[in-house]
């Protein structure tokens, strides 16, 4: 796949490609729906239990199936038609979200049932995640890939801006059941978008290629790469210790005193920063000093976590979360670009699954860690200690791994 002759890549270049437009739009609407469930479930658990630890257990419930199934999802992404696999998972996710809405309407929602539903949502999302990430490179030419990845990131951030803000209002005036119903409809929208995509994808080897040897090939590739593996470890550590989203209900209700409406704004603030970071990177295009930009982005992330933990002002907290999102997204886009350009297409599903194992399970384990630490001490201490550990990780990586610090994306053009 190549761009049209004589065209110059721009901010929205990937949208020239019909199938990417469909995919991106479907993901955007589906991601908005997912944010309705994220906000509703955290608030519902806190209202039912009045416990920060119980909010943290949502993260643990997500992390367990993610860790167990993500690598298998990567094998499937490299063995099967990625579009069909995603359509199957959308149908399954619709069933889970619909069940959550019905349970809540019937007054039968309990913490245990919410945790079980969370596990199923994480299970099906983990089966889909490697295919979703690898699919982007099938829909756009190489010269549009970095911008497509930036747009892929920006749709998530647009969703996290729009979703929680509206979800907080819906939650305040209509309750969690409607939030879950909105999420259920969003899975159907993504299913329809995938059904309309025309790009012919390779059928690959099917089930006979799903094996431990195939998994080993992906693991060896990541382990031997001088930059991909250290960056994955850094991201995992930053996510475990820097996940403040788990504590937002505590900050909203007990520290900043802004209620569910303010909770939606706090959820959206980091996404505003992430969107700004993604748009800024799209305008910039590709930067050659990727390693230094990544370390700089994570440094901003850690500093903003510390400032947020100490803030007693709602709007100062919002500004800190915006900076948090900017730093995180700059790092994430550059790491995703390195992964895609360094990995052969036949290994991209496994690469995406290994990457997701670190980047997706990290925040969920981090949510549990933050909730447990907040229950033992306080939400402020939990967030402050996390930010300090992130800065320590950056120092270790910058001083101990010079290949990461000096890495240039131009090496793989």
């Amino acid at each position: 796949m190549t761009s049209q002759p004589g065209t110059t890549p721009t901010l929205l270049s990937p949208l020239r490609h019909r199938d990417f437009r469909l995919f991106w739009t479907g993901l955007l609407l589906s991601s908005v729906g997912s944010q309705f469930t994220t906000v509703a479930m955290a608030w519902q658990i806190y209202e039912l239990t009045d416990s920060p630890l119980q909010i943290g257990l949502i993260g643990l419930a997500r992390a367990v199936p993610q860790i167990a199934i993500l690598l298998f999802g990567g094998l499937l992404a490299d063995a099967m038609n990625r579009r069909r696999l995603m359509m199957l998972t959308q149908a399954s996710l619709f069933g889970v979200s619909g069940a959550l809405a019905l349970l809540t309407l019937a007054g039968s929602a309990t913490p245990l049932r919410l945790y079980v539903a969370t596990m199923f949502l994480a299970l099906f999302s983990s089966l889909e995640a490697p295919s979703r990430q690898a699919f982007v490179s099938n829909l756009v030419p190489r010269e549009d890939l970095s911008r497509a990845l930036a747009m892929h990131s920006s749709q998530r951030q647009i969703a996290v801006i729009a979703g929680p803000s509206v979800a907080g209002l819906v939650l305040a005036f209509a309750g969690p059941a409607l939030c879950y119903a909105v999420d259920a409809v969003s899975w159907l929208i993504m299913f329809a978008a995938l059904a309309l995509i025309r790009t012919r994808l390779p059928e690959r080897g099917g089930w006979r290629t799903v094996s431990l040897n195939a998994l080993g090939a992906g693991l060896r590739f990541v382990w031997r790469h001088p930059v991909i593996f250290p960056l994955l470890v850094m991201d995992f550590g930053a996510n475990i210790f820097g996940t403040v989203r788990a504590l937002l209900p505590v900050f909203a209700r007990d520290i900043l005193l802004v209620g569910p409406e303010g909770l939606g704004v706090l959820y959206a603030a980091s996404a505003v920063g992430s969107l700004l970071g993604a748009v800024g990177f799209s305008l910039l295009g590709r930067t050659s000093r990727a390693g230094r930009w990544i370390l700089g982005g994570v440094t901003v992330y850690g500093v903003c976590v510390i400032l947020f933990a100490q803030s007693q002002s709602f709007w100062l907290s919002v500004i800190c979360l915006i900076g948090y999102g900017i730093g995180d997204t700059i790092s994430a886009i550059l790491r995703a670009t390195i992964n895609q350009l360094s990995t052969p297409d036949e290994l991209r599903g496994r690469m995406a699954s290994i990457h997701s194992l670190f980047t997706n399970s990290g925040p969920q384990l981090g949510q549990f860690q933050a909730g447990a630490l907040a229950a033992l001490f306080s939400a402020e201490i939990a967030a402050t200690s996390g930010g300090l550990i992130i800065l320590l990780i950056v120092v270790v990586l910058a001083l101990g791994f010079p290949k990461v610090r000096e890495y240039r994306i131009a090496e793989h053009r």
Side-chain angles (χ1 to χ4, degrees), residues 54-136:
Q54 296 278 9
I55 300 175
L57 286 174
I58 297 175
L60 188 61
R62 289 174 182 155
V64 170
Q66 283 181 344
I67 293 171
I69 207 69
L70 265 171
L71 294 179
F72 180 65
L75 286 171
L76 290 181
D78 287 336
M80 299 176 63
N81 184 296
R82 292 166 182 165
R83 183 175 71 97
R84 291 176 191 164
L85 178 60
M86 285 188 284
M87 290 175 71
L88 287 173
T89 57
Q90 301 308 305
S92 302
L93 289 162
F94 165 76
V96 178
S97 297
L100 273 171
L102 294 175
L103 280 172
T104 302
L105 280 174
S108 301
T110 64
L112 178 59
R113 288 174 177 170
L114 292 174
Y115 294 141
V116 171
T118 295
M119 293 183 72
F120 277 106
L121 288 172
L123 174 67
F124 294 125
S125 295
S126 298
L127 282 175
E128 177 210 38
S131 292
R132 184 176 66 246
Q133 294 178 39
F135 198 39
V136 175

Side-chain angles (χ1 to χ4, degrees), residues 203-215:
E203 295 297 328
R204 305 187 185 277
W207 285 100
R208 68 178 181 275
T209 61
V210 177
S211 67
L212 290 177
N213 286 336
L215 177 58

Side-chain angles (χ1 to χ4, degrees), residues 143-230:
E143 58 268 27
D144 282 335
L145 181 58
S146 62
R147 286 181 170 83
L149 291 170
M151 290 194 66
H152 187 266
S153 175
S154 69
Q155 64 80 20
R156 291 196 302 270
Q157 310 317 326
I158 292 171
V160 180
I161 294 167
S165 301
V166 179
L169 295 175
V170 172
L171 180 63
F173 295 106
L178 183 56
C179 291
Y180 298 135
V182 170
D183 192 16
V185 172
S186 77
W187 297 123
L188 293 181
I189 293 172
M190 183 61 195
F191 182 93
L194 289 167
L196 292 171
I197 287 175
R198 299 172 185 166
T199 299
R200 294 176 63 90
L201 300 178
E203 295 297 328
R204 305 187 185 277
W207 285 100
R208 68 178 181 275
T209 61
V210 177
S211 67
L212 290 177
N213 286 336
L215 177 58
L219 291 171
R220 285 191 297 272
F221 173 81
V222 172
W223 174 258
R224 293 171 180 172
H225 198 282
V227 172
I228 289 178
F229 184 71

Side-chain angles (χ1 to χ4, degrees), residues 219-348:
L219 291 171
R220 285 191 297 272
F221 173 81
V222 172
W223 174 258
R224 293 171 180 172
H225 198 282
V227 172
I228 289 178
F229 184 71
L231 288 178
L232 283 178
V233 174
M234 179 198 70
D235 189 59
F236 185 68
N239 281 322
I240 284 184
F241 297 108
T243 301
V244 297
R245 286 175 64 85
L247 303 174
L248 293 185
V250 181
F251 277 90
R253 196 187 79 172
D254 301 334
I255 298 172
L256 301 173
L257 307 176
V258 291
E261 298 89 345
L263 175 64
V265 175
L266 291 176
Y267 274 122
S270 62
V272 170
S274 296
L275 180 60
L276 291 173
V279 170
F281 183 82
S282 295
L283 291 170
L284 178 66
R286 196 183 281 179
T287 176
S288 61
R289 305 302 293 268
R292 296 191 179 187
W293 276 81
I294 289 171
L295 295 176
V298 178
T299 299
V300 171
Y301 175 92
V303 169
C304 288
V305 168
I306 295 170
L307 294 176
F308 172 80
Q310 302 303 314
S311 171
Q312 297 295 313
S313 162
F314 175 65
W315 290 111
L316 178 58
S317 297
V318 169
I319 292 170
C320 292
L321 290 174
I322 290 173
Y324 164 104
I326 291 173
D328 184 41
T329 298
I330 290 173
S331 169
I333 291 172
L334 287 169
R335 283 185 285 106
T337 303
I338 291 171
N339 292 346
Q340 291 285 346
L341 294 179
S342 302
T343 307
D345 186 62
E346 63 271 16
L347 285 173
R348 280 184 176 138

